[in-house]
Amino acid sequence: MGAERRQQKRPSMFEVAKMAGVSHQTVSRVINHSSDVSETTRTRVQQAIDVLGYRPSNSARTLASQRSRTIGLIAGGRDFLGPLSAISTVQETARRHGLFLAVSMVHEALCTQQEFENLCRTFEEQNVDAFIFLTPTDVMLSAACRTRLSEPRVLVTSTHGNLSMSRAGGLMDPEGRKRTAIVGVDQWGAMREVAGLVARLGHRSALYFSGPLQWRDAATRLLGWRKASAAQLIESREIQCDSWDSSEAYARMNHELESIGSSGARKPTVVVTANDAQAIGVVRALHEHGIRVPQDISLVGFDDMAGVSDLWPPLTTVRPDFDDLGTAAMREVLRLLGAGGETAFVASAHGAGLIHAELIQRHSLGPVPRV
């Protein structure tokens, strides 16, 4: 019996139409959730679908709606929390709207223009309806803007970098710009909150660990911190890192503490890092030098990685809403496809709609130490 079932021909739309007593065009309208079908007819067609075990193919949907119901997503940052979280939410949102997500991950720093365009052409051969590009680096943002596309595109990126948003827009053809939306995280707003809280706790001497500046997140956070800390009259010195890794931050913090020890200079009262991994390296170096957090030096991170609430002391950090970011990107896709309204953003800057990032205060940030 099992073998017979496997050999049975897959039921067609025409068989569903015959059983329901309607045209195959009506079956197509039911499959594609058209409003031009009465509830009585819709129920009859759905009953026939259930009895026959009919499953509409993607090609059938495409013929009916002139869309493949597929979104192409190209993303960098495959080893990092933010892009992976955003992809997961995009996929979930797409599924809720009956859409399929085709994903390709690339190296965020080594992706070439040719590689990017080849991936887009591959997706276009699948007849994708739109693109989402997660472009954490200037290299990827440039490639995403230079690629000529007839489909709408949503860029998920940070507002600042060596490639400005205005220059990035200039890389697109005029028609491409009309079919493009940009979303990101309000990292300047987050840095204003960090600097404000640090200042209210009495800190006026800070050390800032920057991330690798080819990453737009690192550039945006650094510029945001510079402006916000200056506005709060915080004297801030920067340590430029070439990676996001805790090991590099650990080594650089060790070198900094040894230099302070040999010169007799005063230690900063707070260290602010561009991500939580750097904060983990910093706290290890401080511990090994017998420096207490936050009694001697306070510490702030960024990203609210899993586990940092269980560090000792628990890490004060910024929590970007990556779920909301992915949802906003998908909503912008639907808007560009004419299937949704305007997305409400908490802020906007440089042509990008921005998602909130919440400052999470924990025990690693305390009042300035008494002398």
Side-chain angles (χ1 to χ4, degrees):
M1 183 65 177
E4 288 179 9
R5 288 182 65 87
R6 282 193 296 270
Q7 291 171 5
Q8 286 178 354
K9 183 179 177 182
R10 179 176 180 174
S12 70
M13 183 186 296
F14 295 96
E15 291 172 280
V16 174
K18 183 177 179 180
M19 177 175 282
V22 299
S23 68
H24 74 276
Q25 291 94 335
T26 298
V27 175
S28 175
R29 292 189 190 100
V30 171
I31 292 169
N32 288 283
H33 309 292
S34 170
S35 59
D36 299 329
V37 182
S38 71
E39 282 305 313
T40 301
T41 300
R42 190 183 304 277
T43 299
R44 196 161 69 246
V45 169
Q46 189 59 54
Q47 287 173 343
I49 288 173
D50 294 340
V51 169
L52 293 172
Y54 173 70
R55 292 293 179 268
S57 67
N58 203 46
S59 59
R61 289 179 181 268
T62 301
L63 289 172
S65 65
Q66 299 303 307
R67 288 184 177 169
S68 67
R69 307 183 70 82
T70 302
I71 308 302
L73 186 148
I74 301 176
R78 55 193 172 187
D79 297 326
F80 296 91
L81 170 68
L84 294 177
S85 299
I87 290 170
S88 176
T89 304
V90 167
Q91 189 168 39
E92 181 181 329
T93 306
R95 190 184 303 117
R96 286 202 304 268
H97 287 84
L99 303 173
F100 175 73
L101 190 68
V103 180
S104 183
M105 301 291 289
V106 299
H107 193 288
E108 63 280 349
L110 303 179
C111 179
T112 65
Q113 183 70 41
Q114 188 63 55
E115 179 186 2
F116 198 94
E117 291 184 3
N118 288 345
L119 285 172
C120 289
R121 300 291 90 85
T122 298
F123 279 134
E124 286 181 322
E125 289 171 4
Q126 300 175 32
N127 196 33
V128 298
D129 297 328
F131 286 95
I132 298 177
F133 298 139
L134 272 63
T135 59
T137 59
D138 289 324
V139 168
M140 280 199 68
L141 179 60
S142 174
C145 292
R146 290 178 186 276
T147 301
R148 298 293 183 259
L149 299 169
S150 58
E151 302 83 4
R153 78 188 105 188
V154 175
L155 303 174
V156 181
T157 194
S158 294
T159 53
H160 291 73
N162 288 327
L163 178 63
S164 69
M165 296 307 298
S166 60
R167 283 175 52 213
L171 298 176
M172 287 186 271
D173 61 285
E175 286 303 311
R177 283 197 295 274
K178 294 177 184 177
R179 297 188 301 271
T180 298
I182 307 169
V183 298
V185 172
D186 185 13
Q187 305 192 68
W188 277 58
M191 283 307 189
R192 279 197 302 272
E193 289 192 44
V194 171
L197 179 57
V198 164
R200 288 195 298 275
L201 290 170
H203 296 277
R204 291 296 180 269
S205 173
L207 195 62
Y208 182 81
F209 277 70
S210 175
L213 293 183
Q214 69 269 30
W215 279 70
R216 298 180 62 80
D217 280 347
T220 304
R221 292 171 194 178
L222 173 60
L223 294 172
W225 169 255
R226 280 178 180 170
K227 184 169 183 177
S229 60
Q232 295 290 344
L233 304 179
I234 299 170
E235 183 181 341
S236 177
R237 196 160 55 81
E238 297 161 11
I239 294 182
Q240 178 60 57
C241 293
D242 299 321
S243 73
W244 295 107
D245 297 345
S246 60
S247 58
E248 182 183 0
Y250 166 72
R252 291 185 181 275
M253 191 69 221
N254 266 325
H255 178 76
E256 179 69 17
L257 292 171
E258 290 163 4
S259 177
I260 290 173
S262 61
S263 66
R266 293 186 65 179
K267 295 191 296 290
T269 62
V270 63
V271 177
V272 178
T273 62
N275 80 337
D276 290 343
Q278 291 178 333
I280 291 170
V282 167
V283 78
R284 177 188 169 191
L286 293 173
H287 174 74
E288 291 178 356
H289 281 78
I291 298 172
R292 300 167 301 165
V293 177
Q295 294 92 333
D296 302 320
I297 293 181
S298 285
L299 180 62
V300 181
F302 203 112
D303 279 341
D304 198 28
M305 289 169 47
V308 297
S309 60
D310 295 319
L311 288 176
W312 186 253
L315 182 65
T316 293
T317 187
V318 173
R319 180 189 294 161
D321 194 335
F322 294 123
D323 287 346
D324 204 10
L325 180 65
T327 300
M330 196 62 222
R331 284 177 179 164
E332 287 294 271
V333 166
L334 294 171
R335 178 181 67 80
L336 291 170
L337 291 173
E342 294 287 335
T343 304
F345 292 100
V346 297
S348 62
H350 305 281
L354 301 178
I355 300 302
H356 181 60
E358 181 183 4
L359 175 59
I360 307 297
Q361 186 175 3
R362 301 190 180 106
H363 295 305
S364 69
L365 176 62
V368 67
R370 294 181 180 178
V371 178

